Amino acid sequence: MSNHVYKSLELTGSSTVGIEDAVSRAIAKAHETVRNIHWFNVVETRGHVVDGKVAHWQVTLKVGFTLD
C-alpha cells in the first residue's frame, strides 16, 4: 500500500434542490480543475430563506485530494 499525502481545500456549494445537490455541485466544479479528489467532510450547512421558505441550501465542505 502506498503512503499518500493529502491536501485539502474548502468549498461552498449552493442549490435550490437540497443539501446533497449542493455538495455534488461543489465537488463536480472542483473536479474540473483538481485531480485525485478522494474524500469530503461537511463543515457547515446553512440556507437562505425567502417568504418563509428555503430558497437555497449552502454547504461548506473540505475536500481532500492526493498530491502527485
Side-chain angles (χ1 to χ4, degrees), residues 13-67:
S14 66
S15 171
T16 57
V17 177
I19 295 167
E20 289 182 25
D21 188 54
V23 170
S24 294
R25 287 173 177 271
I27 291 172
K29 188 65 176 175
H31 177 71
E32 292 177 9
T33 57
V34 178
R35 295 187 312 265
N36 305 320
I37 296 174
H38 288 282
W39 57 264
F40 73 92
N41 179 39
V42 174
V43 176
E44 182 179 17
T45 305
R46 61 188 175 275
H48 177 229
V49 178
V50 175
D51 295 327
K53 296 181 182 178
V54 176
H56 285 89
W57 290 95
Q58 299 169 330
V59 180
T60 300
L61 51 141
K62 287 197 175 186
V63 175
F65 57 97
T66 53
L67 298 174

